Amino acid sequence: MNTPHLRFTDIDPSIEERVDTLLKQMTLEEKVGQLVQINLGWREDTDDWVREGRVGSILSLTDTQEINRLQRIAVEESRLGIPLLIGNDVIHGYRTVFPIPLAESCTWEPALLERASRVAADEAAASGTDWIFAPMVDICRDPRWGRIAEGAGEDPFLGSAMAQARIRGFQAADLTSERRIVACPKHYVAYGAAEAGKDYNTVDISERTLRDVYLPPFKAAFDAGAGTVMSAFNELNGIPASANAFTLRTILREEWGFPGVVLSDFDAIGELIHHGFAEDHKTATRKSILAGVDVDMMGNAFPFHLAALVREGQTPENLVEHAVRRVLRLKFMLGLFEAPYTDESLADQITLTGENRALALEVCRKSMVLLKNEGKILPLSNSIETLAVIGPLADNHHEPLGCWTLQGRDEDVESVLDGLQAVLPENITLLHVPGCEIEGGDVDFDRAVSAALAADVVVMVLGESLMMSGEAHSRAHLDLPGRQQELLEAVVATGKPVVAVLMAGRPLAIPWMAEHVAAMLMAWHGGIRTGRAVADLLFGNAVPSGKLTASFPRSEGQIPVYYAHKSTGRPIDIRGIIQFDRAHKSQYLDESSDPLFPFGFGLSYTTFAYSDLAVETPEIGLDDTLVVSAKITNTGERTGDEIVQCYVRDLCGSVTRPVKELKGFKKVTLTPGESQIVHFEIPARTLGFHGLTMDYVVEPGEFWVWIGANAREGLKGAFTVIA
Ligand code: GLC
């Protein structure tokens, strides 16, 4: 696991020479061919296209024999023998399916995500994948958007750390030491800011928000050496992202010097027509290649119009050649010319191994978030005699796989029931009643109520199917689907203590549940080890440590609700404004302004006390580092992990600044009674923003700093940045 990852952003002169030599031999059609990416369903005559050098890469193909067959045509039957790239969506595991990325981000452990990404990449590489269409690094502050499931939540600082970890993990894959894997951060850019949380919807944000919130995880990914990037479906401020010269050329190439390949999302170039940005495919082709897209994924644009545009002088051939150069460079760096074929015996040796399954369990346990634990009902006591397990997701082997499972199989999944049966002490009788479907179908509330009445404790496993999140699966209502709420209320009405295990691909608006159940465990869609992780946490074989990376709203009306919001001129806690009463503040008449559960929130089976905040550098220059610390003490009876967070606020700026911004986090393990001083060292250079001139600036002035357990609470101090 200690192979250094490959930085595709480092240019190797020897490879450049090989690219030059090859490029000089290529016809215009063969150059265009390298910029075409198709799947096998696209045409009947794919073999011919490959043989004629009209295809450069293939997506969504995992059959190793088929990959090798097509690769032989490319290498041994085409004129120049340029190998194909094989790209796949390995979003949260390949065959060893990990929790959805939003869940994984709740571990707040980049190193763990790096290991998980490495396993996913090795399994994918063993089956013939060269190009992983991940990590999805879209920041999202609207849980209606189904693709929030694929990312790392609402915060650019945390999102950047997770993006870098995944690039390191994916690009470290070196199964045969000749072949490598390249990652593809996506979707460039601001796809997660879709209006109303509706997928593919319009994005209209300020350049400052673009630069301060949505771009940083991409920059972090490229700084870690990511070799490609995928342009998004959405329009951004009137210009579709897959034909946006400002983001694709000015920022990506001129400001950042990114040398890698820009791949469009699935026919995003053709969709320029539907955006009303191009009259036809030929115009769409010209606009996107001029703006900076290199490869057309599944589009009827480049393959049919790019050569003609060059011949007609509407597109400079050197622009095409730059794009081809980037693709060829990638193929050389991936080792495809030396080792184009995949050893078909490899996959069975390294896929779904015991080690991979153990890692999936570790990630799964650490991704789950304990949201409530009234009266310490959890961990469940071995002294209970009867446990009722109720709900449509209790014995489900499919939904835990989550929204992007390429090779995931139901047969690999441990359901919650499986997990409980594996860990349940023999003296406990388990009663299982689904009670209703996830949505639709029959209900059996009576049997569920009877089981509850016969039990000492009830575990309810409720939530979303995997198809309720992910691409094209936005929801306007974030409640429990179907008749699950009725089932929940019927069981709670029995008066028995209820522990809710919630499965979903997003934060849900579940205030009734939060008020009426004794305990709540957010299990997300946890992948193949979901059931065992839930059971281990419920019975205390593991201690919850996960913390939220996306705020849970009380209602859809609050959205967007996120911690790093602005103060406004009428903050709810303002003092001294005598002419206005409380009503004249930025708030609702009919809803709190606070989320149900805030960013960074999560409970443990022990408790932690924060004390002795020390701002060791009360005054720092622009090139200095803020050093701040606090003492964390385990004040409970069990060893536990605590994710300690550090936030700052820039009190006054040339533009308004958020009321809090995450600038550091550390996870510490403490035994009962143990204390640890946790230090954060935060360079002043990281306290900046894009100012009036849209340049990144750090402005002298007063700052607050917090060290705390989540975005809502913490020990507060102050420091000054001086010029
Ligand atoms: C999809 C998704 C993108 C994915 C691509 C290939 O439409 O937007 O995330 O990588 O197509 O499957």
Side-chain angles (χ1 to χ4, degrees):
M1 273 296 179
N2 57 3
T3 313
H5 73 286
L6 193 57
R7 294 177 49 82
F8 286 84
T9 43
D10 298 344
I11 300 300
D12 174 344
S14 64
I15 284 185
E16 295 309 295
E17 282 174 32
R18 297 176 71 184
V19 169
D20 287 340
T21 306
L22 186 49
L23 204 52
K24 288 183 184 120
Q25 304 170 48
M26 297 174 76
T27 65
L28 178 56
E29 276 66 22
E30 285 164 337
K31 292 173 189 172
V32 169
Q34 290 303 306
L35 310 184
V36 171
Q37 179 177 108
I38 62 174
N39 67 21
L40 295 195
W42 192 60
R43 296 186 58 87
E44 295 299 320
D45 54 354
T46 303
D47 288 12
D48 296 337
W49 275 53
V50 172
R51 192 171 292 111
E52 293 156 16
R54 301 176 67 186
V55 179
S57 52
I58 287 179
L59 79 149
S60 305
L61 177 58
T62 54
D63 180 302
T64 313
Q65 285 185 336
E66 181 62 6
I67 289 170
N68 280 335
R69 187 189 70 80
L70 286 164
Q71 198 66 286
R72 279 195 181 82
I73 294 174
V75 171
E76 298 168 22
E77 298 179 31
S78 76
R79 190 176 76 87
L80 293 171
I82 300 173
L84 296 164
L85 274 165
I86 304 297
N88 279 303
D89 292 283
V90 186
I91 310 299
H92 51 103
Y94 189 73
R95 174 75 190 276
T96 303
V97 178
F98 290 88
I100 55 172
L102 182 62
E104 289 180 306
S105 70
C106 292
T107 67
W108 293 59
E109 272 194 51
L112 185 64
L113 265 61
E114 182 176 341
R115 290 169 55 205
S117 301
R118 173 64 190 275
V119 163
D122 280 343
E123 289 191 355
S127 300
T129 293
D130 312 294
W131 195 352
I132 284 182
F133 299 150
M136 189 275 219
V137 300
D138 301 313
I139 297 298
C140 177
R141 295 168 163 177
D142 189 332
R144 294 170 295 182
W145 191 52
R147 304 198 77 165
I148 192 172
E150 300 174 48
E154 71 183 60
D155 182 74
F157 182 86
L158 186 86
S160 297
M162 296 309 178
Q164 297 211 316
R166 291 198 186 282
I167 299 305
R168 290 194 299 266
F170 286 143
Q171 298 189 168
D174 70 337
L175 276 182
T176 60
S177 76
E178 289 174 301
R179 286 275 296 284
R180 306 304 295 265
I181 287 263
V182 67
C184 185
K186 64 186 184 181
H187 306 79
Y188 189 75
V189 64
Y191 183 28
E195 280 182 1
K198 196 161 51 173
D199 204 0
Y200 316 117
N201 204 11
T202 303
V203 172
D204 207 291
I205 56 178
S206 70
E207 182 180 342
R208 179 166 300 108
T209 299
L210 174 68
R211 288 182 179 276
D212 285 344
V213 176
Y214 293 95
L215 283 172
F218 285 95
K219 182 66 168 62
F222 302 138
D223 289 347
T228 71
V229 63
M230 187 184 293
S231 66
F233 291 124
N234 55 282
E235 74 158 71
L236 172 61
N237 302 338
I239 311 288
S242 292
N244 193 311
F246 175 63
T247 52
L248 291 169
R249 209 169 284 289
T250 305
I251 293 178
L252 192 63
R253 303 292 189 195
E254 292 164 18
E255 289 184 20
W256 293 352
F258 176 66
V261 173
V262 174
L263 166 68
S264 81
D265 201 339
F266 201 108
D267 192 27
I269 296 173
E271 291 182 11
L272 300 182
I273 299 168
H274 311 309
H275 275 290
F277 190 71
E279 294 81 3
D280 51 36
H281 276 96
K282 190 168 184 179
T283 310
T285 302
R286 180 171 54 80
K287 286 196 165 189
S288 58
I289 187 101
L290 287 176
V293 173
D294 295 323
V295 177
D296 176 4
M297 179 198 287
M298 284 302 290
N300 290 305
F302 284 21
F304 301 112
H305 300 287
L306 188 51
L309 285 167
V310 170
R311 291 202 169 89
E312 292 162 12
Q314 292 193 56
T315 300
E317 182 157 6
N318 72 333
L319 207 56
V320 173
E321 289 193 349
H322 287 320
V324 176
R325 170 181 300 281
R326 289 189 276 263
V327 172
L328 295 178
R329 175 190 299 143
L330 186 58
K331 292 185 175 182
F332 280 117
M333 292 182 85
L334 286 166
L336 280 164
F337 284 88
E338 287 71 27
Y341 308 121
T342 303
D343 173 349
E344 295 172 21
S345 69
L346 215 47
D348 291 343
Q349 299 168 37
I350 67 128
T351 301
L352 207 60
T353 61
E355 187 184 349
N356 294 0
R357 295 184 70 252
L359 180 60
L361 178 58
E362 178 183 357
V363 176
C364 204
R365 284 170 173 168
K366 291 180 172 180
S367 70
M368 295 183 178
V369 184
L370 183 62
L371 296 174
K372 184 179 181 183
N373 191 17
E374 205 164 64
K376 296 187 179 179
I377 185 174
L378 292 179
L380 294 173
S381 158
N382 292 348
S383 64
I384 60 176
E385 291 177 6
T386 305
L387 182 69
V389 184
I390 297 170
L393 285 157
D395 192 25
N396 189 300
H397 294 82
H398 179 67
E399 310 310 343
L401 285 171
C403 59
W404 258 118
T405 48
L406 206 66
Q407 295 292 298
R409 297 178 192 173
D410 295 9
E411 71 211 46
D412 299 334
V413 174
E414 289 164 301
S415 70
V416 171
L417 207 58
D418 295 337
L420 289 170
Q421 284 160 344
V423 305
L424 211 59
E426 291 186 355
N427 60 297
I428 296 180
T429 302
L430 193 150
L431 305 175
H432 168 235
V433 178
C436 68
E437 301 293 325
I438 293 171
E439 60 179 354
D442 299 331
V443 299
D444 191 347
F445 294 169
D446 293 345
R447 276 190 64 227
V449 167
S450 301
L453 289 170
D456 302 301
V457 179
V458 183
V459 171
M460 293 199 77
V461 189
L462 305 166
E464 295 182 330
S465 69
L466 62 82
M467 289 303 283
M468 292 177 178
S469 61
E471 182 174 357
H473 296 144
S474 296
R475 292 180 68 201
H477 304 285
L478 300 182
D479 53 1
L480 291 173
R483 299 186 62 184
Q484 296 181 62
Q485 179 66 27
E486 290 174 72
L487 174 66
L488 172 64
E489 292 183 20
V491 169
V492 165
T494 65
K496 294 288 184 170
V498 173
V499 172
V501 175
L502 203 49
M503 289 191 191
R506 56 161 57 82
L508 296 177
I510 30 122
W512 193 94
M513 174 191 282
E515 188 180 339
H516 291 89
V517 302
M520 284 170 74
L521 178 69
M522 188 66 203
W524 308 106
H525 288 133
I528 60 172
R529 305 304 313 269
T530 295
R532 182 56 190 259
V534 167
D536 283 343
L537 291 169
L538 292 185
F539 276 93
N541 302 337
V543 177
S545 61
K547 292 199 172 185
L548 296 178
T549 57
S551 307
F552 271 54
R554 294 174 185 278
S555 63
E556 297 84 357
Q558 288 184 309
I559 295 171
V561 58
Y562 54 97
Y563 85 91
H565 59 78
K566 297 299 187 65
S567 173
T568 79
R570 297 283 180 90
I572 191 74
D573 56 356
I574 200 70
R575 298 283 177 270
I577 305 289
I578 54 175
Q579 71 273 33
F580 295 117
D581 61 16
R582 184 173 166 75
H584 291 73
K585 302 290 174 52
S586 179
Q587 62 177 348
Y588 300 105
L589 290 176
D590 57 353
E591 180 62 276
S592 160
S593 295
D594 292 329
L596 185 61
F597 299 108
F599 178 86
F601 180 80
L603 300 174
S604 170
Y605 290 154
T606 187
T607 50
F608 298 97
Y610 285 64
S611 62
D612 302 306
L613 179 81
V615 179
E616 297 169 27
T617 55
E619 195 170 275
I620 56 173
L622 294 175
D623 293 323
D624 293 338
T625 296
L626 168 70
V627 180
V628 60
S629 65
K631 183 160 78 172
I632 319 303
T633 303
N634 180 339
T635 51
E637 292 88 43
R638 296 175 72 104
T639 296
D641 292 345
E642 173 69 347
I643 298 164
V644 182
Q645 300 152 47
C646 184
Y647 296 86
V648 301
R649 178 180 180 177
D650 182 349
L651 292 179
C652 191
S654 58
V655 297
T656 58
R657 308 292 305 118
V659 295
K660 266 189 183 180
E661 290 180 281
L662 181 72
K663 290 297 178 184
F665 57 90
K666 284 183 184 173
K667 184 182 279 192
V668 294
T669 302
L670 296 173
T671 56
E674 182 184 5
S675 294
Q676 188 174 330
I677 305 293
V678 177
H679 281 89
F680 291 98
E681 297 191 2
I682 301 167
R685 288 289 170 206
T686 65
L687 302 176
F689 55 94
H690 289 82
L692 292 172
T693 60
M694 219 43 79
D695 294 315
Y696 182 81
V697 291
V698 178
E699 293 180 344
E702 303 304 313
F703 285 74
W704 287 340
V705 57
W706 293 263
I707 291 182
N710 58 67
R712 186 168 54 197
E713 58 191 278
L715 300 175
K716 180 175 158 185
F719 66 96
T720 305
V721 172
I722 57 176

